[in-house]
Amino acid sequence: MRVGSGIDVHAFGPGDAVVLGGVRIAHSRGVVAHSDGDVLLHALVDALLGAAALGDIGQHFPDTDPRWKGADSARFVTATVELLAQAGWKVVNADLTLLAEAPRIGPWRDAIRSGVAGLLGLPRACVNLKATTTEHLGFVGRSEGLMAMATVLIDER
Ligand code: MG
């Protein structure tokens, strides 16, 4: 068994929606990103790669590569799960945390969990999603951007 952790940040920018855990959520701003800027899935990918000692998201899906412009980050997750499988690993569970003042994700929590579980080939009970504000402190608290953290456990297939 191995554990991995991941962190991702994106700045808010022009737009009317953010994509979080594969779910498009209407918001007063968008995010600045080469792909769809899904902080939850990017943190998850880094946690998966970290657990398997396979590097980081920037090595596998560089933001200079036109293939990933505007990309649905679900593609990064499925490709990473496949990389882990080739290396002899399966995912056991994932625990995700969103740090944001807004949007509030309560109404979408179960949809996000189900979607992420589907990408990982797990039942929804093996994917948790937490959210917190930072009490108006720091860049998250000033609503300058979004941050996500992920922890995963993997095991031999
Ligand atoms: Mg990112």
Side-chain angles (χ1 to χ4, degrees):
M1 277 195 190
R2 304 262 291 259
V3 68
S5 68
I7 293 179
D8 193 45
V9 171
H10 281 277
F12 282 125
D16 58 6
V18 296
V19 181
L20 291 170
V23 175
R24 187 180 156 87
I25 298 172
H27 190 50
S28 55
R29 325 227 19 220
V31 295
V32 179
H34 184 68
S35 66
D36 63 6
D38 189 327
V39 286
L40 282 173
L41 295 190
H42 294 182
L44 174 61
V45 166
D46 260 355
L48 292 166
L49 292 170
L54 287 171
D56 68 28
I57 190 169
Q59 288 175 268
H60 293 275
F61 312 104
D63 63 8
T64 50
D65 189 332
R67 265 186 308 170
W68 311 124
K69 185 163 172 54
D72 176 350
S73 295
R75 290 169 60 196
F76 303 156
V77 178
T78 50
T80 302
V81 168
E82 180 57 31
L83 269 175
L84 264 64
Q86 287 166 10
W89 299 106
K90 66 175 186 208
V91 185
V92 176
N93 75 302
D95 184 20
L96 310 177
T97 305
L98 177 72
L99 295 94
E101 297 294 330
R104 297 295 171 99
I105 55 164
W108 293 276
R109 188 187 302 260
D110 284 339
I112 292 170
R113 288 176 63 209
S114 293
V116 172
L119 295 173
L120 297 175
L122 295 174
R124 189 168 74 179
C126 295
V127 176
N128 191 56
L129 174 60
K130 310 188 296 295
T132 184
T133 69
T134 61
E135 299 292 340
H136 302 291
L137 296 172
F139 70 87
V140 169
R142 292 188 297 270
S143 295
E144 293 169 2
L146 294 169
M147 181 170 176
M149 304 172 69
T151 303
V152 302
L153 190 72
I154 63 173
D155 199 3
E156 288 167 33
R157 281 159 59 83

